[in-house]
Amino acid sequence: MSENAQKKLKLIFKFVHYFEDVCYNRMYKKILQRGDNVIKKEMIAMLLAGGQGSRLGVLTQKVAKPAVSFGGKYRIIDFPLSNCINSGVDTVGVLTQYQPLRLNTHIGIGIPWDLDRNVGGVTILPPYEKSKGSDWYTGTANAIFQNLEYMETYNPDYVLILSGDHIYKMDYEVMLEYHKANNADVTIAAMPVPIEEASRFGIVITDDNNRITEFEEKPANPRSNLASMGIYIFSWPALKEALIKLSEEPGCDFGKHIIPYCHGKGDRIFAYEYNGYWKDVGTLGSYWEANMELIDIIPEFNLYEEYWKIYTKSDIIPPQYIAEDAVIERSIIGEGSEIHGEIYNSVIGAGVIINPGAVIRDSIIMRDCEIGAGATVDKAIVAEDTTIGAGCAIGVGEYMPSKYDPKVYQFDLVTIGEHSMIPENVKVGKNTAISGVTTAEDYPDGALASGDYIIKAGGVR
C-alpha cells in the first residue's frame, strides 16, 4: 500500500472514531437526562434459593436444596427458572445464602435459560457487607428487603416472588393478567390440598370473587383447604411500602408478616387458584415421590412437552450405553450412563455405572455414582458421586423408626449423601442414613440395622 493510501486510511479511521465518540456522548447525555426510567421492566422475579433444606437430611449437607438433582438430568431450581423465561419474565434475581457454590456454578450467567441479557437477565444476590454492618437473610421478606436497590434499578410495576424448591409448570404471565384484571395489590397463587395436610401451609379464605378475606399461616385447625403455594405477585408500591414498614421485624417473612400486614391495612389481596401439578419437594418422601411420578405410565408431570420445555445446564458427556444383557423397565436413564445390570422403576442420573449383576428397584441414583457387581438397591436415594460396593444389599429388612432424626427420616427409604462409599458385601436396612466414606468396621456383623445411621466426619452434625 502506498504512503498516500495509508494516510487516507488513517484519516478515515479518525473520522469513524470521532463519529462514534460523538454518537456515544449524545446517547450518554440522553441517558443521564432520562434518569431512573432508563431501565424499565413491567415485572421482575425474585427467586428465593438460599434455604438449607434441612428436611432433606444428608442430601443437603453440602448443597442448597434448589441445587439438588432431580429427574436424572435437572436440578430443582431449573423449574422456576424455566417457568420465568417461558412466561416472558427475563429479569430474575436469585437470592442465595446456604452452600451457594454449586447453585452459582449451575446458574452461571443464565445461558441455558436465555437469561444472559445485557439488561436484566439473571443476577445472583447473596448477602453482602453494608456500611452499617452485614446481615444474613433472616426471613423470606427480609431477604427481599435487603435487595430493594436491585429491584429499584428496574423500576418495575410488579414483582413476582418465587421459591426455588418447588416442581411445577406455571405461566406467570396468565397470573399477572389476573392480578391486573382485579386491580390487585397482592395476588397469591393457591391450590386445594387434602384437609389433613392443610396445617403445613398458609391457608387462605376467599369470598365469591376470590378476594382473600382471611389468611392463616400454618393453622392448627384449618378452616379451608386452599393453600398458598408461596408464589406472589405484588404491585411494586404495595411491596415496597410493606418491606420498609416491617424492616425491623425479626425474621421478617411473607406468610407470617407481610401478607397479614397488607391484609390488615385493607390492600386488595386475591387468590389465583392453580389446578396443575405442583410439588413441594421439601421432605425425603415428597422428593422421592416426585421423581417416581416422572416414570408413571401416564406421568402426572410430563417432562417431554414441546410447548413448555424445562431448560438446564448440560455437560458435554458421551451417550448412554446399554449392555446386551441389561434389563431396564419403566425408568429414566441419564446421559453418559453405563448399564450392565437390571433397573426397575428408577431414576438414574448422568454418568452412572451399574455393574453386571446389580439390581436397582424403586430408587433414585444421582449422577456419577457406581453400583458394584451383584449389589441390590431397593427404595433408596443415592446422592452424587457415591460408590456402593459389590455384593451390597441396600434397603433390606423391616421399617424401624430413625435413631438419628425422626422428623427427617420417617420414610421407608435408604438415604445416602454425596461422595459416600459403602464397602463390599454389607447390608443396609430401611429408613437409614449414611454419609461419608465408610469401611467394613463401621458395620457391626456386616450390617446397618433399619432406623440406624452412619455419619462420618463432614456429615450433617
Side-chain angles (χ1 to χ4, degrees), residues 179-202:
H179 180 88
K180 292 177 182 177
N182 286 296
N183 192 27
D185 296 300
V186 187
T187 297
I188 301 175
M191 68 182 300
V193 298
I195 192 68
E196 60 271 17
E197 296 181 17
S199 60
R200 293 175 44 218
F201 300 91

Side-chain angles (χ1 to χ4, degrees), residues 261-309:
Y261 170 79
C262 292
H263 183 263
K265 71 185 185 73
D267 281 352
R268 293 176 58 83
I269 308 178
F270 285 80
Y272 172 74
E273 190 166 336
Y274 177 75
N275 293 303
Y277 181 95
W278 177 83
K279 198 88 164 185
D280 179 350
V281 288
T283 67
L284 290 170
S286 62
Y287 174 80
W288 180 84
E289 287 173 1
N291 274 272
M292 293 300 106
E293 285 168 349
L294 298 176
I295 56 175
D296 285 343
I297 295 174
I298 302 176
E300 190 174 350
F301 186 72
N302 191 349
L303 290 173
Y304 306 99
E305 293 171 331
E306 282 295 318
Y307 72 91
W308 199 271
K309 292 183 179 179

Side-chain angles (χ1 to χ4, degrees), residues 92-153:
V92 185
V94 180
L95 288 73
T96 62
Q97 180 159 279
Y98 172 79
Q99 296 280 19
L101 178 60
R102 192 172 306 166
L103 192 63
N104 295 352
T105 303
H106 180 68
I107 295 172
I109 60 173
I111 291 174
W113 306 272
D114 192 27
L115 288 170
D116 52 328
R117 306 293 180 97
N118 290 328
V119 177
V122 66
T123 304
I124 305 295
L125 300 170
Y128 60 93
E129 188 79 21
K130 306 171 186 68
S131 59
K132 294 182 181 179
S134 61
D135 292 306
W136 291 107
Y137 296 149
T138 59
T140 55
N142 174 264
I144 300 297
F145 169 74
Q146 290 194 44
N147 289 282
L148 271 178
E149 187 176 349
Y150 168 81
M151 292 185 286
E152 287 177 328
T153 300

Side-chain angles (χ1 to χ4, degrees), residues 222-440:
R223 292 177 293 141
S224 164
N225 72 331
L226 193 58
S228 167
M229 298 166 63
I231 300 168
Y232 313 102
I233 291 179
F234 283 84
S235 294
W236 173 233
L239 176 62
K240 185 176 179 180
E241 192 269 338
L243 290 174
I244 293 172
K245 184 72 175 180
L246 299 179
S247 61
E248 300 300 321
E249 182 73 40
C252 191
D253 180 83
F254 279 98
K256 293 179 182 177
H257 304 109
I258 297 294
I259 300 301
Y261 170 79
C262 292
H263 183 263
K265 71 185 185 73
D267 281 352
R268 293 176 58 83
I269 308 178
F270 285 80
Y272 172 74
E273 190 166 336
Y274 177 75
N275 293 303
Y277 181 95
W278 177 83
K279 198 88 164 185
D280 179 350
V281 288
T283 67
L284 290 170
S286 62
Y287 174 80
W288 180 84
E289 287 173 1
N291 274 272
M292 293 300 106
E293 285 168 349
L294 298 176
I295 56 175
D296 285 343
I297 295 174
I298 302 176
E300 190 174 350
F301 186 72
N302 191 349
L303 290 173
Y304 306 99
E305 293 171 331
E306 282 295 318
Y307 72 91
W308 199 271
K309 292 183 179 179
I310 304 300
Y311 302 95
T312 189
K313 177 187 175 186
S314 295
D315 297 322
I316 300 174
I317 50 181
Q320 59 189 219
Y321 171 77
I322 311 297
E324 181 180 1
D325 51 355
V327 177
I328 301 174
E329 290 185 4
R330 208 175 73 165
S331 297
I332 289 173
I333 309 295
E335 302 156 299
S337 291
E338 188 178 323
I339 312 299
H340 298 271
E342 301 177 23
I343 302 173
Y344 304 94
N345 305 322
S346 295
V347 175
I348 309 298
V352 170
I353 299 174
I354 309 294
N355 282 294
V359 180
I360 315 296
R361 296 187 185 91
D362 305 317
S363 295
I364 302 163
I365 312 294
M366 298 186 197
R367 63 182 302 146
D368 299 325
C369 291
E370 181 169 0
I371 312 300
T376 60
V377 180
D378 285 295
K379 206 170 182 183
I381 303 174
V382 182
E384 300 180 21
D385 192 29
T386 288
T387 299
I388 294 177
C392 285
I394 308 297
V396 298
E398 299 297 322
Y399 173 88
M400 293 293 289
S402 174
K403 299 177 183 178
Y404 183 43
D405 190 340
K407 292 181 180 179
V408 172
Y409 303 98
Q410 53 179 295
F411 307 96
D412 203 11
L413 294 164
V414 178
T415 310
I416 303 175
E418 63 181 38
H419 309 309
S420 295
M421 182 175 292
I422 314 298
E424 295 182 356
N425 300 313
V426 300
K427 296 181 179 180
V428 177
K430 298 178 185 294
N431 195 32
T432 47
I434 299 173
S435 176
V437 177
T438 64
T439 63

